[in-house]
Amino acid sequence: MSTIAANLQAVEATIQAACEAANRPRSTVQLLAVSKTFPAEAVLEAIEAGQRAFGENYVQEGVDKIAAVAKARPDLMLEWHFIGPIQSNKTRPIATSFQWVHTVERLKIAQRLSEQRPAELGPLDICLQVNISGEATKSGVKPEELEGLAKAVVQLPNLRLRGLMAIPEPQADPALQRAPFARLRALAQDLIKAGIHLDTLSMGMSGDLQSAVLEGATIVRIGSAIFGARHYE
Ligand SMILES: *Cc1c(COP(=O)(O)O)cnc(C)c1O
């Protein structure tokens, strides 16, 4: 078995154990394999092991990899999620190549994605990224501005608002990992009470996946536990 296949099995076992501990069916959590910095060959290995949903952070790298993988496996329906920071001049390739975007934090970006989404692809699935760690990171809409942004995004014709995403400050102690995930879940519940339909909580990475599942994650974004350590040029 390849290393990637063995890693996927281990991650799957962790997700199953977390679902059991949380009393949730395994089918309520989707595993997104985050392939940033790894070549198309690594994605093809994961596909060989049964993985179908992949996350990318950098537009050009992602678009090139999507094309390379599609060329190698034209027989397969894959799901590609954009999970990186978005510059407003890079929205078009995101809107045309990806099915999901997890990192929408401004209305202007959402408007461009909606305008640039090709009609024949159907609506782009969107998560709003929320800054739940306060000052520590600058990414994400502030919780107090979330409802206004959500209400504007649901008006956009070619987007489908699915849920919320967050990247809490890394925290090695599992006892401290759950609080920010619980905050994200509470924010989603507030929006649902305000009449906005949501079904997705994108939260949890290699280091805090169990805590995220215990707090209701429906998509976990796992990179290094599947593909190994990343080396940036
Ligand atoms: C890189 C990345 C991940 C995966 O992180 P790992 O710690 O390698 O699992 C998940 N989400 C986002 C937004 C990322 O940028």
Side-chain angles (χ1 to χ4, degrees):
M1 192 186 297
S2 77
T3 306
I4 288 173
N7 289 346
L8 271 167
Q9 269 192 6
V11 168
E12 178 55 36
T14 305
I15 294 174
Q16 275 178 24
C19 283
E20 259 167 55
N23 237 319
R24 301 176 52 191
R26 169 65 187 90
S27 59
T28 60
V29 181
Q30 181 184 24
L31 170 57
L32 185 67
V34 176
S35 44
K36 64 172 178 232
T37 78
F38 291 95
E41 289 69 32
V43 171
L44 291 167
E45 253 185 75
I47 288 172
E48 217 44 57
Q51 181 63 27
R52 294 291 181 268
F54 295 91
E56 287 287 335
N57 286 58
Y58 310 104
V59 178
Q60 196 55 51
E61 177 191 338
V63 167
D64 292 347
K65 211 177 294 179
I66 290 168
V69 171
K71 198 167 173 217
R73 294 302 304 261
D75 55 317
L76 289 181
M77 282 284 288
L78 300 171
E79 218 177 78
W80 290 93
H81 296 227
F82 190 78
I83 62 170
I86 305 173
Q87 290 167 268
S88 61
N89 62 344
K90 298 274 179 61
T91 49
R92 189 179 299 279
I94 297 174
T96 54
S97 293
F98 289 83
Q99 283 86 59
W100 280 75
V101 180
H102 292 226
T103 39
V104 172
E105 55 178 14
R106 293 190 283 145
L107 183 57
K108 183 182 170 210
I109 296 288
Q111 285 166 333
R112 291 178 64 93
L113 289 170
S114 182
E115 279 159 21
Q116 294 167 344
R117 178 67 170 173
E120 67 274 17
L121 295 181
L124 188 61
D125 289 305
I126 296 292
C127 291
L128 301 178
Q129 181 174 357
V130 186
N131 183 349
I132 46 171
S133 297
E135 298 300 301
T137 82
K138 290 223 158 50
S139 299
V141 60
K142 294 193 191 96
E144 57 271 28
E145 291 165 9
L146 174 61
E147 186 173 327
L149 178 61
K151 286 187 164 159
V153 167
V154 293
Q155 304 299 322
L156 298 172
N158 300 319
L159 305 185
R160 183 162 51 202
L161 180 62
R162 297 294 298 270
L164 305 182
M165 178 273 207
I167 312 172
E169 257 185 294
Q171 195 70 260
D173 180 356
L176 301 177
Q177 288 175 350
R178 286 178 63 168
F181 294 140
R183 278 205 293 283
L184 192 69
R185 176 160 51 92
L187 288 169
Q189 279 160 352
D190 290 346
L191 291 183
I192 290 166
K193 277 195 210 120
I196 295 168
H197 178 78
L198 300 178
D199 60 14
T200 299
L201 283 175
S202 167
M203 58 190 199
M205 315 195 342
S206 295
D208 53 17
L209 138 68
Q210 283 137 307
S211 300
V213 170
L214 287 169
E215 292 297 343
T218 66
I219 300 180
V220 291
R221 309 177 310 267
I222 308 298
S224 48
I226 297 172
F227 295 106
R230 285 181 291 273
H231 302 286
Y232 291 93
E233 305 264 292

